[in-house]
């Protein structure tokens, strides 16, 4: 039986966004989704997060979506922003721990 915390995480997943300069966090922002996570809406989520953090929106690649969905984290490098930014990278992390299982073709042993 699922606990109330697990149910809340599935109903209202959260994304923790942070900008990093070296190994220091320069800004952070917690974004709560309006429903279950949908990978097709990742651009919408990133737009809302970057608007809330008052930073430019980065280019989203398939690798960002894959890493976020399967590993709960993705990083947007400085070079993936069209505008100049004052940090090294933007990191998005799924803080709820609800991810999809890895595909069968993914081999952890190399």
């Amino acid at each position: 039986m699922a606990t109330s915390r697990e149910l809340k995480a599935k109903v209202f997943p959260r994304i923790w966004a942070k900008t990093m300069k070296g190994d220091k966090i320069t800004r952070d922002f917690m974004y709560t989704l309006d429903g279950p996570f949908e990978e097709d809406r990742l651009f919408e989520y990133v737009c809302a997060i970057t608007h809330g953090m008052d930073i430019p929106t980065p280019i989203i690649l398939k690798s960002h979506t894959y890493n976020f969905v399967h590993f709960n984290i993705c990083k947007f490098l400085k070079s993936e922003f069209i505008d100049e930014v004052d940090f090294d990278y933007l990191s998005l992390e799924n803080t709820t721990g609800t991810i999809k299982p890895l595909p069968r073709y993914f081999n952890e042993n190399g």
Side-chain angles (χ1 to χ4, degrees):
M1 182 149 200
T3 65
S4 63
R5 182 176 179 176
E6 289 172 346
L7 291 174
K8 185 176 179 184
K10 289 182 181 187
V11 175
F12 300 107
R14 294 179 303 168
I15 299 173
W16 182 30
K18 53 190 171 189
T19 57
M20 304 291 289
K21 183 81 169 173
D23 59 350
K24 299 196 186 289
I25 297 174
T26 55
R27 292 181 196 90
D28 71 327
F29 183 78
M30 187 65 74
Y31 179 70
T32 303
L33 280 61
D34 54 359
F37 176 80
E38 298 173 36
E39 60 184 285
D40 296 337
R41 293 180 60 197
L42 185 62
F43 179 72
E44 181 183 327
Y45 302 147
V46 171
C47 286
I49 289 167
T50 55
H51 179 74
M53 295 178 79
D54 196 28
I55 59 173
T57 303
I59 297 169
I60 300 175
L61 306 173
K62 286 183 182 180
S63 61
H64 294 126
T65 304
Y66 181 86
N67 288 335
F68 190 80
V69 169
H70 294 288
F71 302 112
N72 280 340
I73 194 165
C74 68
K75 292 181 181 178
F76 296 93
L77 303 176
K78 192 177 213 174
S79 60
E80 295 165 341
F81 289 86
I82 295 180
D83 297 330
E84 189 67 29
V85 293
D86 61 350
F87 50 87
D88 295 335
Y89 63 90
L90 168 67
S91 174
L92 300 182
E93 186 175 341
N94 178 1
T95 61
T96 58
T98 55
I99 61 168
K100 292 184 178 180
L102 291 175
R104 284 193 310 248
Y105 58 83
F106 182 81
N107 183 0
E108 291 177 318
N109 299 325

